[in-house]
Amino acid sequence: MDPDFAKVDALCQTHGYPDAARSLLRDVTAAVSVAGVRSVVLSGSGSRGELIYCESAAGLRWFSDLDLTVVADALPAEQVAGILERIAELEQRQLEIGARTFHIDVDFTSSDAWQRPRRDFQAWETREQGWILFGEDLRAQIQVEVDSRSCVQSSLNRLWQLLLYLPEGVLRGRPSGHEREVFHYSLDRAALDFPLWLLLEEGELVAGFAGRLQFFEQHCKEFANSVFEIDDLLDLVREATQGRAAPRAERNLADHYQQVLQWYVPMLRRSLGRSEIEEDNLPQTLSQEHARIYPPIGLRRNLWELKLALEIAALGKPIAALRWFGTAKQAKITGFLWAMHLAAQNILLDRREAASAWLQRAIVEMHGLWPKDDPLMRDGDLADSWV
């Protein structure tokens, strides 16, 4: 099917996207606009005019993702596979030019699933500011009542991305300019989750990075609290907004890393009303308070965990299986990520003993996710082994 690119061209004209961006968006739209598709919806920064890219001699270097939802009721599996293959080719072509952070995320959903009640902020933002690239405008059919816990979970999950984009060169003291640029961009993106986290807990729904910064600047005194100075958070958000818009390699990486990581503790203190939360006890606190931090998992996830628990029991560990089934897995995942980041931060600060201790804690947290074997307790310099 040859789509009409009028909607793509209107998007680019509205937000001032360059011809190279228009070309890629056309190619992506053509790849997913096959027979049987009712609608293709662009979400996230691309739909709001907040895409981040830089001109280079090789072409446009993308930092932002492209997030698309394809609404279709009867796409054969082989047709979906063909779409994903074409998307992977486009993504790889762009990755050869651009930043490692770039990804084309395509979610396939049925018309019925599209209309099911949702709890995540991204669904609300798509309904308000998503852009139709092809087909019908189905945004009004999105039913959403935002649960602030979904945003807290999303912010904590951002630790995955930070670990993914923490380059080996950083730990070894020899990062390339591109590695530094990508990691600074990822840190700024993580920092921009904090105002959303705060606003949602106060019942405020504001779309877009620029929109939230403007709202926060106008109303920040209303969010004053005894846990941290609200002006300090506003300064962080302003710096992160500028840094995300123009990724730079020359900033001090260790300082930037520490500046962003240290905000997770006061944010959780404020959310949970627990002033005793520190770096050291954050993983335990997440396990204790998981119901207040993470939204409940669905039936399908529960059934999957039950299947895995039975596999653990079959290994002759029924008590371990019961304990594992009752474990808050999301809290364990976040605890593992937190331990890995504290290890990396201590390596950058040349605190090898502390880094090794945090790596050992990461091993223990990982064992809590899959206790088929005893955790590997190691002596010696784990930090040196990691690097």
Side-chain angles (χ1 to χ4, degrees), residues 33-274:
S33 302
V34 299
V37 170
R38 290 187 62 190
S39 183
V40 177
V41 187
L42 178 67
S43 304
S45 58
S47 68
R48 303 188 304 264
E50 296 183 315
L51 281 175
I52 302 300
Y53 45 78
C54 301
E55 300 281 356
S56 75
L60 207 62
R61 299 178 59 235
W62 291 66
F63 287 81
S64 299
D65 290 338
L66 289 177
D67 298 311
L68 296 97
T69 302
V70 177
V71 184
D73 291 320
L75 288 183
E78 59 272 16
Q79 196 168 24
V80 172
I83 291 173
L84 293 177
E85 184 176 346
R86 290 193 292 276
I87 290 294
E89 292 171 357
L90 292 171
E91 186 176 274
Q92 183 57 42
R93 186 180 72 189
Q94 193 59 42
L95 283 172
E96 292 173 0
I97 303 172
R100 289 175 55 217
T101 53
F102 177 73
H103 179 59
I104 305 173
D105 184 22
V106 181
D107 179 40
F108 294 89
T109 188
S110 67
S111 298
D112 287 343
W114 178 256
Q115 298 178 66
R116 288 177 192 149
R118 301 267 297 274
R119 308 281 291 187
D120 57 296
F121 175 79
Q122 287 72 23
W124 176 84
E125 200 169 44
T126 297
R127 187 180 69 186
E128 299 301 311
Q129 293 198 338
W131 195 285
I132 308 304
L133 297 179
F134 172 80
E136 305 172 57
D137 186 350
L138 305 175
R139 291 174 298 174
Q141 296 181 9
I142 298 176
Q143 301 181 58
V144 58
E145 184 176 343
V146 177
D147 184 340
S148 63
R149 291 175 299 179
S150 67
C151 175
V152 176
Q153 181 182 29
S154 178
S155 182
L156 294 174
N157 286 347
R158 188 74 58 183
L159 294 168
W160 269 122
Q161 184 189 49
L162 290 180
L163 193 61
L164 177 65
Y165 295 125
L166 175 64
E168 293 180 7
V170 170
L171 297 177
R172 294 173 180 169
R174 300 183 301 276
S176 68
H178 177 65
E179 288 176 329
R180 294 173 62 89
E181 189 180 52
V182 165
F183 195 52
H184 280 302
Y185 172 84
S186 300
L187 287 167
D188 286 324
R189 179 61 189 85
L192 291 176
D193 284 334
F194 297 140
L196 177 58
W197 178 342
L198 182 62
L199 291 175
L200 287 184
E201 289 193 332
E202 296 296 327
E204 300 288 351
L205 297 173
V206 183
F209 300 118
R212 287 190 286 276
L213 175 59
Q214 182 180 31
F215 186 93
F216 203 38
E217 288 178 329
Q218 294 172 351
H219 302 276
C220 68
K221 298 305 180 185
E222 299 172 20
F223 301 103
N225 63 91
S226 60
V227 179
F228 54 79
E229 291 293 333
I230 201 70
D231 287 339
D232 291 342
L233 180 58
L234 181 56
D235 288 342
L236 176 78
V237 174
R238 285 171 173 157
E239 291 174 10
T241 300
Q242 295 172 0
R244 176 185 175 273
R248 295 180 292 112
E250 61 270 16
R251 301 158 72 185
N252 186 296
L253 195 145
D255 288 350
H256 192 195
Y257 193 16
Q258 185 174 21
Q259 179 189 34
V260 173
L261 280 186
Q262 68 184 9
W263 271 95
Y264 286 93
V265 170
M267 290 298 295
L268 285 168
R269 284 177 185 164
R270 187 184 189 281
S271 294
L272 299 172
R274 293 185 56 171

Side-chain angles (χ1 to χ4, degrees), residues 270-291:
R270 187 184 189 281
S271 294
L272 299 172
R274 293 185 56 171
S275 60
E276 75 276 13
I277 300 175
E278 302 288 350
E279 286 183 351
D280 283 354
N281 63 20
L282 187 144
Q284 299 95 300
T285 304
L286 293 174
S287 294
Q288 294 165 3
E289 301 280 9
H290 67 91

Side-chain angles (χ1 to χ4, degrees), residues 306-354:
L306 177 60
K307 176 178 178 292
L308 292 182
L310 293 174
E311 290 182 16
I312 296 171
L315 296 172
K317 297 185 176 183
I319 303 300
L322 285 173
R323 189 181 300 115
W324 179 85
F325 189 64
T327 296
K329 314 301 186 305
Q330 277 289 347
K332 284 291 182 184
I333 291 171
T334 307
F336 164 77
L337 294 170
W338 184 250
M340 292 296 291
H341 281 295
L342 267 290
Q345 181 178 276
N346 277 285
I347 287 174
L348 292 182
L349 297 173
D350 200 26
R351 301 171 182 166
R352 304 292 254 204
E353 186 175 344

